[in-house]
Amino acid sequence: MKTILVTGGAGFIGSNFVYYMLKTHPDDRIVCVDALTYAGNLSTLEQALQNPNFRFVKADIADRDAIFALFEEEKFDIVVNFAAESHVDRSIENPEIFLKTNILGTQVLMDACRKYGIERYHQVSTDEVYGDLPLDRTDLFFTETTPIHTSSPYSASKASADLLVQAYHRTFGLPVTISRCSNNYGPYHFPEKLIPLIISRALADESLPVYGKGENVRDWLYVEDHCSAIDLIIHHGRVGEVYNIGGHNERTNLQVVKTILKALGKPESLITYVTDRPGHDMRYAIDPTKITTELGWKPQTMFDDGIQKTIDWYLNNRAWWENIISGDYQHYYEKMYQNR
Ligand code: NAD
Ligand code: DAU
């Protein structure tokens, strides 16, 4: 039986990981630390909170005293760091909190790991650290040796954290792994991100903001496949290594939006082209050869099935996202889109 710290577990991927781990490793104890920022939602963890092997602690990963006290108390075996400011558009508006949480928060967690000892520290990173690929070179993919080349304050903060994690491994011998995944989608995805934003707005017959020409390409992975990859890496991945995660499900943003409209029976006339995101990355595409050959990982859900499952989830769990949309998020939406 292991005690596993999951940071950011009240957010999208972290919460899916909590549920995945409680299901696949029922004897392990999962402790979730989350600051419950605008993106964290305790109602997401309602079912987990019924499980005696789950504990929730509200804390900021950059709060050294709180984090060290928790490590002292819990004696973690494994730490998986999902906690982050994760939205590119917000990082363009206000980069500072991204540096604090994503870089300094990572440092505090690793300092605690050094002091109290752990088997593994895993950093959940992103394919955005590689920058982007041109649209007309579909033969190119991100591998683990693609140079770091960031575009937004968000991706720069994630890349900085990755470098720090590698430095703690080389200098202090901390047993680390890093995963860099492509765009996730699925249940509990916060409705400021493309897919849940389009589903929720289309259901309300509201205009659907597509940045630029909608030709940017993202490589979509169903969130449970990301969770299974991290589970494999923390148990079987080689210390000090980076693993890319992605399932070759590339779509243009316009394709994604049209797929959702078709599934919901809504008209394409809802699509509104708005001013592009500054520094907008053109194409992400992961080469998952390393994790496939070394750890035997394969995605279980392809985009056409995953998007239908996701739409069904949003239809069946309206209370979860309607609650978010009616609150602070509404002010956020007005601020971000009023001049576009
Ligand atoms: P999210 O924004 O939905 O959730 C982030 C969670 O972290 C929230 O619960 C929030 O309250 C918490 N948090 C933020 N600051 C914190 C702090 N200082 N201390 C403690 N908790 C804090 O993000 P997500 O989409 O679930 O992404 C999770 C991780 O995966 C991030 O590190 C992100 O960079 C990475 N990632 C995301 C994707 C994607 O497509 N969403 C893809 C690849 C990698
Ligand atoms: O690739 C992994 C990354 O994927 C993660 O590291 C990030 O945390 C995650 O937010 C996501 O970043 P993106 O910027 O790719 O995701 P987002 O949902 O914000 O946008 C997806 C694409 O859709 C992108 O090309 C911008 C476009 N978009 C987005 C929004 C919110 C629109 O056209 N209109 C919109 O309203």
Side-chain angles (χ1 to χ4, degrees):
M1 178 190 148
K2 308 248 184 228
T3 303
I4 302 175
L5 172 62
V6 176
T7 71
F12 166 43
I13 309 174
S15 61
N16 277 281
F17 186 72
V18 164
Y19 285 116
Y20 182 88
M21 293 301 280
L22 289 172
K23 188 175 67 187
T24 49
H25 303 276
D27 294 333
D28 286 351
R29 178 173 152 75
I30 308 290
V31 178
C32 166
V33 163
D34 197 297
L36 297 181
T37 68
Y38 79 94
N41 193 343
L42 203 49
S43 76
T44 301
L45 291 171
E46 223 167 71
Q47 279 167 276
L49 288 162
Q50 315 294 319
N51 190 317
N53 279 345
F54 179 76
R55 176 184 176 196
F56 178 81
V57 178
K58 182 175 184 302
D60 184 334
I61 57 164
D63 179 344
R64 188 169 287 265
D65 291 344
I67 295 300
F68 275 50
L70 185 66
F71 270 72
E72 169 113 47
E73 185 190 346
E74 287 283 357
K75 310 274 182 290
F76 295 115
D77 299 297
I78 298 173
V79 173
V80 186
N81 182 24
F82 290 93
E85 287 294 332
S86 70
H87 192 32
V88 173
D89 292 332
R90 285 181 188 257
S91 82
I92 295 167
E93 286 290 302
N94 182 12
E96 193 161 334
I97 184 68
F98 284 75
L99 309 193
K100 183 165 182 245
T101 292
N102 299 1
I103 307 172
L104 297 180
T106 298
Q107 183 212 355
V108 167
L109 288 171
M110 290 194 298
D111 284 344
C113 290
R114 284 185 65 208
K115 175 156 184 198
Y116 295 100
I118 38 97
E119 272 172 31
R120 179 66 62 86
Y121 173 86
H122 182 73
Q123 179 72 2
V124 181
S125 185
T126 168
D127 60 357
E128 295 201 17
V129 302
Y130 298 122
D132 62 354
L133 299 164
L135 289 181
D136 60 357
R137 288 294 307 272
T138 49
D139 56 317
L140 295 180
F141 297 91
F142 296 139
T143 71
E144 289 78 1
T145 55
T146 300
I148 301 287
H149 186 81
T150 59
S151 309
S152 69
Y154 162 71
S155 56
S157 70
K158 293 295 289 184
S160 304
D162 284 12
L163 295 176
L164 203 58
V165 171
Q166 286 170 327
Y168 269 56
H169 171 60
R170 175 149 178 175
T171 304
F172 304 121
L174 197 71
V176 306
T177 36
I178 296 174
S179 54
R180 294 180 180 147
C181 190
S182 60
N183 285 62
N184 285 213
Y185 67 105
Y188 301 118
H189 203 178
F190 195 83
E192 68 184 349
K193 305 284 174 68
L194 181 71
I195 287 181
L197 181 128
I198 297 299
I199 296 172
S200 56
R201 288 185 68 81
L203 283 171
D205 296 309
E206 291 170 332
S207 65
L208 308 179
V210 170
Y211 298 167
K213 295 183 194 150
E215 63 189 0
N216 306 65
V217 169
R218 296 292 181 265
D219 186 357
W220 294 96
L221 187 72
Y222 194 64
V223 63
E224 201 169 72
D225 285 322
H226 188 184
C227 297
S228 70
I230 294 174
D231 183 19
L232 276 175
I233 295 168
I234 59 179
H235 290 104
H236 307 290
R238 284 184 294 136
V239 164
E241 293 293 314
V242 173
Y243 293 90
N244 282 356
I245 309 171
H248 290 300
N249 281 276
E250 289 179 49
R251 297 286 188 284
T252 67
N253 293 338
L254 212 46
Q255 282 174 322
V256 169
V257 173
K258 287 183 178 175
T259 304
I260 294 170
L261 286 173
K262 194 166 173 212
L264 291 175
K266 298 287 183 179
E268 291 186 6
S269 56
L270 289 175
I271 294 173
T272 311
Y273 294 93
V274 299
T275 313
D276 212 348
R277 171 185 281 174
H280 199 174
D281 283 334
M282 288 314 297
R283 171 175 169 253
Y284 302 147
I286 285 276
D287 175 355
T289 304
K290 181 172 174 180
I291 190 167
T292 304
T293 51
E294 267 190 31
L295 304 180
W297 176 82
K298 276 210 174 78
Q300 300 300 311
T301 303
M302 292 295 106
F303 188 77
D304 291 341
D305 292 337
I307 194 69
Q308 193 53 55
K309 274 205 275 187
T310 303
I311 291 169
D312 291 343
W313 189 88
Y314 279 83
L315 287 171
N316 294 328
N317 293 273
R318 275 177 174 267
W320 182 86
W321 55 270
E322 281 177 348
N323 199 25
I324 291 171
I325 286 176
S326 65
D328 272 356
Y329 173 72
Q330 195 55 42
H331 306 298
Y332 165 83
Y333 189 87
E334 282 156 16
K335 185 173 161 222
M336 284 310 220
Y337 292 90
Q338 65 188 348
N339 294 321
R340 278 195 128 122

